[in-house]
Amino acid sequence: MFSLSILSTGNEVCERLAYYGMSTNLVLYFKHQLNQHSSVAATNNQNWGGTCYITPIIGAFLADSYLGRYWTIACFSIVYIIGMTLLALSASVRGIRPRCYAEDNCNPTEVQSAMTFLALYLIALGTGGIKPCVSSYGADQFDDTDEKEKKHKSSFFNWFYLSINIGALIAGSVLVWVQDNVSWGWGLGIPAIAMAIAVCFFFSGTCLYRNQVPGGSPVTRLFQVLVASIRKYKVAVPANKSVLHETADKESNIKGSRKIDHTNDLSFFDKAAVEIETDQLKGSVNPWRLCTVTQVEELKAIIRLLPVWASGIIFSTICSQMGSLFVLQGERMDTHVGHSNFKIPAASLSIFDTLSVTFWVPIYDRIIVPVTRKFTGHKNGLTQLQRMGIGLFISIFAMVVAAILEHERLKMIKRHNYYELKEMPMTIFWQVPQYFLVGCAEVFTCIGQLEFFYEQAPDAMRSFCSALSLTTVALGSYLSSLLVTIVSNATAKNGKSGWIPDNLNYGHIDYFFWILAALGVFNLGVYVWFANWYTYKKAVGTLR
């Protein structure tokens, strides 16, 4: 039911407002309030952001195995609120907030810094139970037996992502301005209030939600197939695949899961479903020796997803620059709006990423899909893999544009000797194209990933697969952090300032952007090869 899916995503909308309201400007909080160097601030920002996308593995495991998506969202939301509250207090309460003598001149104690990071990593834990569950939970509200509801499910992922970006738009404009011009206490306190509203919004629909029964530990089932396959490595798989072991019931023996049709690839794992005399002990089946076809196909589905999953890491590395090097680049440009005294915070340029998403989602849903459907015959116009590939292609150009802009900025600095200027006379709005291209890439790749990992996941592993897709964001952040560290250490030797110094006017982050563009080209080539190899999952029957 569409109204139920919208109600369940209300939690995510407010949570994203809270998350982006805190994280969009976080690199500058580290640099100016916690007195960290540019490279250290960028690294800490990337590491924390990465952790926010690793913890969903924990939430997904609990949701699929024991708690279900509803209770996982509910419990972890409380942890999130505690972390947000503590972060707001660490930025506003005398004694635990960093002591500042003037703008950009702060001297926090170790305890004050530790308080900030404790709050941030509580938030990272809290968001781990929300991210992998909300999109899947919203999609669960559509009945697959109802053709009308089933038709709307694909559009749901488009509008779900758009709703998230509405929260990000408010955060990147209003909240960043509050942080820069009012106080960090209010700037971090408002997101905490938004998260409290999110929890209330979510609980308001408790009596209406459709809840899927947890199917037990997906990790255990995967290992059972691996162990059973290895034990039977000498057993031949019969040519007639219909004799492979499967339950006689209409549904599979996994709670909340439909049966999955057998596929011919990755045939080694079919050995786990070959019945031999020693498989049944005392009349019962030992799952560590004999698995059903559906259980085998669960493992196959995960293995097929892995190459597509890996391609998202470089993409996430590129997107993560919006919260780090794009902000530091913008900070060194003219932030005045027109000829007024109003200055736009460098982090607020992320609103153009959000505006790009807001622009492209309805264009994609209402124009691109119907037009491409006429040529491809596919119900969604483009397949999910085609959609993601287009996004990877567009992201390369985002880095190319960012590199060209920085090259031109450095040329102007050298020509006019602007090295010591805090803001050089080049408007920050020259950054708009790179943000806009990233937003366009997200509409294709990120929304494509949401739908792809939901549709191709086994029924009882949807939260787990959603979390798997989110880990690409984490690994992308960690990879970006690693690259920044390597580049800084390699280029800042023998008295040289390096590519990423505190004063970027002496640096060369354009070279860093070119490296990311080259990685993007390589990533796209590998992705296309694996996408051509991919076999789509076929479920038997419906859950409802």
Side-chain angles (χ1 to χ4, degrees):
M1 186 183 300
F2 192 74
S3 58
L4 285 178
S5 67
I6 293 300
L7 186 61
S8 69
T9 58
N11 177 274
E12 178 72 352
V13 174
C14 292
E15 187 271 335
R16 291 290 83 188
L17 188 151
Y19 177 83
Y20 286 117
M22 165 194 58
S23 64
T24 302
N25 217 16
L26 192 59
V27 68
L28 296 185
Y29 186 81
F30 287 153
K31 183 176 180 180
H32 299 312
Q33 300 295 306
L34 298 188
N35 197 25
Q36 296 179 350
H37 296 296
S38 293
S39 59
V40 175
T43 298
N44 283 333
N45 185 51
Q46 300 283 11
N47 288 341
W48 174 78
T51 304
C52 288
Y53 287 89
I54 283 290
T55 53
I57 292 292
I58 300 171
F61 176 79
L62 293 175
D64 282 339
S65 305
Y66 307 110
L67 298 179
R69 285 188 263 280
Y70 172 83
W71 283 110
T72 302
I73 294 171
C75 295
F76 279 76
S77 292
I78 302 302
V79 176
Y80 199 120
I81 289 176
I82 293 172
M84 289 295 302
T85 303
L86 183 59
L87 182 64
L89 293 175
S90 72
S92 56
V93 176
R94 181 177 297 178
I96 61 174
R97 72 170 185 241
R99 176 181 292 181
C100 296
Y101 305 99
E103 185 180 2
D104 301 344
N105 184 16
C106 298
N107 186 27
T109 64
E110 290 184 3
V111 173
Q112 290 167 344
S113 295
M115 185 73 71
T116 299
F117 282 100
L118 172 63
L120 286 171
Y121 281 92
L122 275 176
I123 292 167
L125 176 61
T127 196
I130 299 173
K131 289 181 190 294
C133 297
V134 170
S135 63
S136 297
Y137 195 53
D140 285 345
Q141 307 312 308
F142 292 90
D143 189 344
D144 279 342
T145 63
D146 186 314
E147 286 301 320
K148 187 176 180 180
E149 290 192 27
K150 189 176 181 180
K151 182 180 178 182
H152 286 303
K153 184 184 283 188
S154 180
S155 290
F156 160 74
F157 288 102
N158 290 327
W159 297 105
F160 172 82
Y161 199 77
L162 176 62
S163 300
I164 293 172
N165 278 270
I166 290 173
L169 178 63
I170 298 171
S173 54
V174 178
L175 294 183
V176 169
W177 184 87
V178 170
Q179 290 163 0
D180 280 9
N181 296 277
V182 181
S183 72
W184 281 99
W186 276 108
L188 297 176
I190 293 173
I193 296 171
M195 190 59 211
I197 294 172
V199 175
C200 294
F201 194 69
F202 176 76
F203 281 126
S204 67
T206 297
C207 298
L208 303 174
Y209 294 133
R210 289 167 172 165
N211 296 311
Q212 188 172 317
V213 179
S217 172
V219 176
T220 300
R221 294 198 302 274
L222 296 179
F223 273 104
Q224 285 172 343
V225 176
L226 283 171
V227 171
S229 300
I230 293 171
R231 279 177 166 172
K232 297 177 180 177
Y233 73 96
K234 292 184 178 180
V235 176
V237 178
N240 181 8
K241 302 302 186 291
S242 64
V243 301
L244 294 175
H245 178 64
E246 183 58 278
T247 60
D249 298 331
K250 184 178 180 180
E251 301 292 342
S252 73
N253 62 349
I254 303 166
K255 291 181 181 179
S257 178
R258 294 168 290 183
K259 290 181 180 178
I260 305 176
D261 267 342
H262 175 268
T263 55
N264 293 321
D265 57 343
L266 302 171
S267 59
F268 173 81
F269 299 107
D270 290 337
K271 296 176 184 290
V274 177
E275 243 181 299
I276 59 177
E277 292 182 3
T278 58
D279 285 337
Q280 297 195 24
L281 301 175
K282 298 179 181 180
S284 62
V285 174
N286 182 349
W288 292 95
R289 290 182 176 274
L290 180 63
C291 304
T292 64
V293 169
T294 296
Q295 197 173 338
V296 171
E297 290 301 321
E298 279 191 331
L299 177 60
K300 287 185 180 181
I302 297 300
I303 293 174
R304 290 191 201 102
L305 287 174
L306 290 179
V308 180
W309 164 83
S311 69
I313 297 174
I314 300 297
F315 177 81
S316 296
T317 302
I318 289 173
C319 292
S320 69
Q321 303 313 309
M322 289 192 301
S324 55
L325 292 185
F326 280 14
V327 177
L328 295 176
Q329 180 188 42
E331 190 185 26
R332 287 289 172 175
M333 301 176 74
D334 183 4
T335 58
H336 289 87
V337 178
H339 298 289
S340 67
N341 291 325
F342 180 80
K343 298 176 68 174
I344 184 171
S348 286
L349 263 288
S350 64
I351 65 174
F352 289 98
D353 164 71
T354 307
L355 290 172
S356 178
V357 171
T358 306
F359 172 79
W360 281 107
V361 164
I363 294 294
Y364 185 89
D365 198 63
R366 301 303 180 191
I367 298 177
I368 295 177
V369 170
V371 170
T372 54
R373 186 186 291 142
K374 293 179 181 179
F375 293 97
T376 64
H378 192 275
K379 64 179 182 178
N380 296 331
L382 298 171
T383 67
Q384 295 149 0
L385 289 171
Q386 288 170 339
R387 181 176 184 171
M388 287 186 282
I390 292 171
L392 296 180
F393 179 74
I394 295 171
S395 70
I396 296 169
F397 286 96
M399 288 298 98
V400 171
V401 169
I404 292 173
L405 173 63
E406 183 64 11
H407 177 73
E408 293 301 315
R409 194 184 75 85
L410 292 175
K411 278 176 60 178
M412 181 181 288
I413 289 170
K414 184 176 181 180
R415 187 183 308 122
H416 300 286
N417 194 27
Y418 287 151
Y419 291 101
E420 294 303 324
L421 278 184
K422 184 176 180 181
E423 291 188 3
M424 60 168 294
M426 174 184 277
T427 178
I428 193 174
F429 291 105
W430 279 110
Q431 284 192 307
V432 170
Q434 62 204 54
Y435 280 100
F436 195 84
L437 284 169
V438 172
C440 180
E442 287 177 1
V443 169
F444 284 89
T445 296
C446 294
I447 301 176
Q449 275 185 337
L450 280 174
E451 186 177 0
F452 180 77
F453 278 85
Y454 179 86
E455 291 292 340
Q456 296 305 306
D459 294 327
M461 298 179 69
R462 280 175 169 161
S463 293
F464 176 81
C465 288
S466 292
L468 189 65
S469 70
L470 291 170
T471 58
T472 63
V473 181
L475 296 177
S477 293
Y478 292 145
L479 177 58
S480 178
S481 174
L482 178 63
L483 289 174
V484 168
T485 301
I486 292 173
V487 166
S488 296
N489 291 338
T491 58
K493 291 181 178 179
N494 302 321
K496 295 181 179 179
S497 56
W499 290 3
I500 313 175
D502 288 338
N503 183 349
L504 293 186
N505 293 342
Y506 290 98
H508 263 296
I509 60 171
D510 52 332
Y511 296 166
F512 187 80
F513 291 146
W514 283 118
I515 289 175
L516 292 182
L519 288 174
V521 172
F522 171 78
N523 185 52
L524 178 61
V526 174
Y527 172 84
V528 170
W529 189 86
F530 277 113
N532 288 327
W533 166 80
Y534 189 81
T535 302
Y536 283 89
K537 175 196 88 170
K538 292 183 180 178
V540 181
T542 61
L543 285 172
R544 301 181 180 89

